Amino acid sequence: MGIAVLTMKASVIEMFLVLLVTGIHSNKEMTKKIKRPKFTVPQINCDVRAGKIINPEFIVKCPAGCQDPRYHVYGTDVYASYSSVCGAAVHSGVLDNSGGKILVRKVAGQSGYKGSYSNGVQSLSLPRWRESFVVSEGKPQKGVTYPSSLTYSSSKSPAAKAGETTKAYQSPSAPGTTAQPVPLMQVLGTTAVEGTHTTLPKPPPSAGSTTSSLRPQPVGQRSQELAGEPELWKPGSVLLDAGFVPKKELSTQSLEPVSQGDPSCKVDLSFLIDGSASIGKRRFRIQKQFLADVAQALDIGPAGPLMGVVQYGDNPVTQFNLKTHMNSRDLKTAVEKITQRGGLSNVGRAISFVTKNFFSKSNGNRGSAPNVAVVMVDGWPTDKVEEASRFARESGINIFFITMEGASENEKQYVLEPNFANKAVCRTNGFYSLSVQNWFSLHKTVQPLVKRVCDTDRLACSKTCLNSADIGFIIDGSSSVGTGNFRTVLQFVANLSKEFEISDTDTRIGAMQYTYEQRLEFGFDVYSTKPDVLNAIKRLGYWSGGTSTGAAINYALEQLFKKSKPNKRKLMILITDGRSYDDVRIPAMVAHHEGLQ
């Protein structure tokens, strides 16, 4: 009996153990199924920027064709979040132009991004940007869960509002966790979301003095400087601002004469203001206050200076033109209403826009007043300015540059066009350039700028529309001229050349000599100073031979004037001593038809 009971207990224990092992095995199978959900790789287009995706780490599939230069990439190895995700993957060599899967990880913003050419993609340089990313092969890391669908920033509800934390991202340190954003720095005040132009609520007054720049500050200099300085030179609060007008003033207010402007400063002035994302909200307000102070100092009016404003970022836009506001008071009110657009700092594009569109009769350009463009730049431009500025100068626009907080020695490697201000201004004599160490010193340049803008006698580029020409001298070097007369001709050419302002943006001189044959002595692009031109004329040697003037005109059209700039007047001065052996009428008609005078 005892043996039977023991046998039954053993059977029960054995059954329990079997059930326990079976349950554990079943739970393991269930756990395996739970840990291995099906992962769908989201697909994106070539034009999607990293800054538009909120996820800190993700795997995506890129389509074919992202090598196209339309999809801009900024940086090398570490890319600004303003870049095309797939374009950066091709540039880095992770993908080729056929597309595929990539792993993207957000990292902190850099103090600068250097462009390079790699794998068929030309990346661009960029100043400081608030967020970066790196790309690698699209293989999931062990223990990390990646999203099957991406979260995009909304243009209607920006993520970075007043008082919120700006995020940077890093890989999770603990296995088995989902990639999460890690706070990098606290940005007080109102910030703009990349690619959006939504106007955000203004911060409360208590936060006004500590508003930080949108631009990342890895070295901790500029943001601390702004936070530590008081809010300077705000417009004074008066009773009129609050809507109260003393009774004594009611009867005289409407009778007060409106200023017609300062007649000693009759200029048509365009301010190109920096509205890029890197400038930040507080600096943008300082810039607007500077405009208001300049408008007050200029005494705007129809008999004096007129002023308009163009704001640039990715693309320029006219805030108001020359004829919109005819007194300083109205203009200051309009400046206060300007909102920041954000984007890059495309100064060259803005200068081209002003040259082609702003100084027109329909926008209030008076014709008799000098045209002046004052370009304000925070840091450095994100595009090239030299060619656009040359065209502006040759169109008679006096370009001034005000640069704030230029590149440090460590940052100069990121500047796309070194010495960009000198390549842009009307003259490189210091008169047209103002360099400001920090934004809080900007107000000190109001009077120096006004004094220079109003000094119309020194606005040299105003005269280029009358003096800007390519003059080609066609000199007869035939035997009938003789050595003595040839020297007399050269002296005449030199004396005539002396009367012109010779430079690359003013008048340019070229010369050729002919007999039966033709010889180009020097072209328009060889000498850009008056002494060099006069010395070149003096060195010309007498050739001697027959006289084929018609052939010389044809040669001049093909070899000399083909390199003339399209916006310059073309003047051909032909000096000969007698009758030509060939026909002159048809070549002369062709030259006239092509615009030569």
Side-chain angles (χ1 to χ4, degrees):
M1 185 70 178
I3 294 172
V5 171
L6 289 172
T7 303
M8 185 175 66
K9 285 184 179 179
S11 299
V12 171
I13 292 170
E14 183 179 352
M15 185 181 297
F16 176 76
L17 289 174
V18 169
L19 290 172
L20 182 62
V21 170
T22 303
I24 291 172
H25 180 72
S26 176
N27 284 338
K28 283 184 177 180
E29 291 297 322
M30 291 178 66
T31 302
K32 286 180 181 179
K33 290 180 181 178
I34 292 171
K35 284 188 177 181
R36 294 183 180 177
K38 188 175 180 181
F39 171 58
T40 304
V41 178
Q43 296 188 13
I44 61 174
N45 295 325
C46 295
D47 60 352
V48 173
R49 299 172 184 163
K52 284 291 186 181
I53 301 172
I54 295 177
N55 307 82
E57 189 171 346
F58 51 90
I59 295 176
V60 291
K61 185 174 182 181
C62 292
C66 296
Q67 199 178 50
D68 194 300
R70 290 180 299 167
Y71 311 120
H72 294 164
V73 178
Y74 300 90
T76 301
D77 297 329
V78 178
Y79 302 95
S81 62
Y82 203 74
S83 306
S84 158
V85 173
C86 298
V90 176
H91 181 270
S92 66
V94 174
L95 290 183
D96 56 25
N97 202 35
S98 61
K101 290 191 294 183
I102 57 170
L103 172 61
V104 180
R105 182 166 58 90
K106 299 282 188 73
V107 294
Q110 306 291 305
S111 60
Y113 302 83
K114 195 168 186 178
S116 64
Y117 182 81
S118 179
N119 301 305
V121 176
Q122 176 64 61
S123 70
L124 306 173
S125 297
L126 188 70
R128 311 160 184 78
W129 202 254
R130 61 179 172 274
E131 184 183 64
S132 312
F133 69 98
V134 293
V135 292
S136 56
E137 292 183 9
K139 295 179 180 179
Q141 295 184 7
K142 189 175 181 180
V144 180
T145 302
Y146 297 96
S148 295
S149 60
L150 301 175
T151 305
Y152 291 86
S153 60
S154 170
S155 59
K156 293 185 178 180
S157 56
K161 293 186 179 180
E164 291 186 352
T165 303
T166 300
K167 307 287 185 179
Y169 304 99
Q170 63 183 34
S171 300
S173 57
T177 59
T178 304
Q180 294 292 331
V182 178
L184 175 65
M185 61 180 181
Q186 187 76 17
V187 178
L188 299 175
T190 305
T191 58
V193 173
E194 180 174 270
T196 66
H197 296 154
T198 307
T199 302
L200 303 178
K202 290 185 177 180
S206 60
S209 61
T210 57
T211 303
S212 176
S213 166
L214 180 63
R215 180 192 326 225
Q217 306 298 335
V219 295
Q221 291 178 350
R222 293 190 182 176
S223 57
Q224 292 177 5
E225 176 188 325
L226 287 175
E229 292 279 359
E231 196 76 77
L232 298 182
W233 35 276
K234 281 187 175 182
S237 299
V238 294
L239 290 175
L240 294 177
D241 293 335
F244 297 101
V245 182
K247 288 183 179 180
K248 292 181 180 180
E249 295 184 11
L250 286 174
S251 58
T252 60
Q253 191 176 24
S254 59
L255 300 176
E256 183 181 348
V258 178
S259 172
Q260 294 298 302
D262 181 2
S264 66
C265 182
K266 189 175 181 180
V267 295
D268 289 343
L269 176 63
S270 170
F271 265 90
L272 282 68
I273 63 171
D274 191 340
S276 61
S278 65
I279 192 176
K281 293 292 182 182
R282 192 177 188 192
R283 292 185 181 94
F284 191 74
R285 290 200 301 272
I286 294 173
Q287 186 176 216
K288 291 201 301 180
Q289 183 59 49
F290 175 76
L291 292 187
D293 291 344
V294 169
Q296 186 65 44
L298 281 173
D299 188 12
I300 302 297
L306 295 180
M307 178 174 159
V309 174
V310 171
Q311 182 184 171
Y312 67 86
D314 287 336
N315 294 296
V317 63
T318 301
Q319 302 291 159
F320 51 85
N321 62 33
L322 295 167
K323 65 180 183 181
T324 308
H325 304 291
M326 287 293 171
N327 59 72
S328 297
R329 183 184 65 248
D330 292 347
L331 195 145
K332 287 165 64 178
T333 302
V335 166
E336 181 59 32
K337 294 177 181 178
I338 296 174
T339 57
Q340 186 178 359
R341 293 179 61 81
L344 299 177
S345 184
N346 290 330
V347 178
R349 187 176 296 177
I351 294 173
S352 295
F353 173 83
V354 167
T355 304
K356 295 175 183 177
N357 303 291
F358 187 85
F359 290 107
S360 64
K361 188 174 181 180
S362 60
N363 284 337
N365 187 30
R366 291 173 285 187
S368 58
N371 294 160
V372 178
V374 179
V375 185
M376 304 185 69
V377 183
D378 173 53
W380 57 87
T382 52
D383 64 349
K384 292 188 175 182
V385 304
E386 184 175 12
E387 191 60 34
S389 300
R390 180 185 291 121
F391 185 72
R393 296 193 305 264
E394 292 172 353
S395 300
I397 300 172
N398 298 273
I399 297 183
F400 287 78
F401 254 66
I402 302 177
T403 55
M404 281 73 65
E405 301 185 7
S408 65
E409 287 299 322
N410 293 333
E411 295 171 333
K412 285 182 178 178
Q413 60 179 319
Y414 304 115
V415 179
L416 183 63
E417 192 175 30
N419 299 320
F420 61 88
N422 283 339
K423 294 176 181 178
V425 294
C426 182
R427 291 286 185 277
T428 56
N429 56 7
F431 182 77
Y432 295 89
S433 302
L434 291 164
S435 180
V436 182
Q437 290 297 107
N438 62 72
W439 279 87
F440 290 107
S441 301
L442 181 60
H443 67 286
K444 297 178 182 178
T445 65
V446 171
Q447 290 302 328
L449 177 66
V450 168
K451 184 178 179 180
R452 297 182 191 193
V453 165
C454 293
D455 190 355
T456 55
D457 290 337
R458 295 189 65 181
L459 297 181
C461 283
S462 302
K463 303 174 179 64
T464 58
C465 53
L466 301 175
N467 194 27
S468 179
D470 283 342
I471 302 177
F473 288 97
I474 317 303
I475 303 171
D476 186 348
S478 62
S479 302
S480 58
V481 173
T483 304
N485 290 333
F486 186 77
R487 288 296 152 197
T488 302
V489 169
L490 294 187
Q491 189 60 53
F492 169 78
V493 172
N495 291 340
L496 189 57
S497 299
K498 285 179 183 177
E499 298 301 315
F500 292 93
E501 185 69 33
I502 296 174
S503 75
D504 189 50
T505 57
D506 296 309
T507 295
R508 303 190 305 171
I509 304 292
M512 61 164 284
Q513 187 180 169
Y514 74 95
T515 58
Y516 280 130
E517 300 178 294
Q518 304 84 33
R519 182 171 71 195
L520 181 64
E521 301 291 358
F522 56 88
F524 297 125
D525 56 351
V526 177
Y527 302 113
S528 57
T529 67
K530 190 177 295 186
D532 288 343
V533 168
L534 297 179
N535 286 332
I537 294 170
K538 185 179 180 180
R539 291 193 301 267
L540 295 186
Y542 177 47
W543 203 1
S544 184
T547 309
S548 295
T549 306
I553 295 174
N554 288 331
Y555 182 87
L557 291 175
E558 291 296 324
Q559 301 300 323
L560 183 58
F561 285 96
K562 278 293 184 183
K563 294 185 178 180
S564 181
K565 295 182 179 180
N567 58 320
K568 284 184 176 287
R569 291 184 300 142
K570 302 172 183 62
L571 303 177
M572 179 189 290
I573 300 176
L574 192 147
I575 306 169
T576 183
D577 80 326
R579 189 165 182 169
S580 175
Y581 294 159
D582 62 353
D583 181 65
V584 176
R585 291 172 297 177
I586 293 178
M589 289 173 62
V590 172
H592 182 71
H593 180 73
E594 293 191 10
L596 270 72
Q597 299 175 349

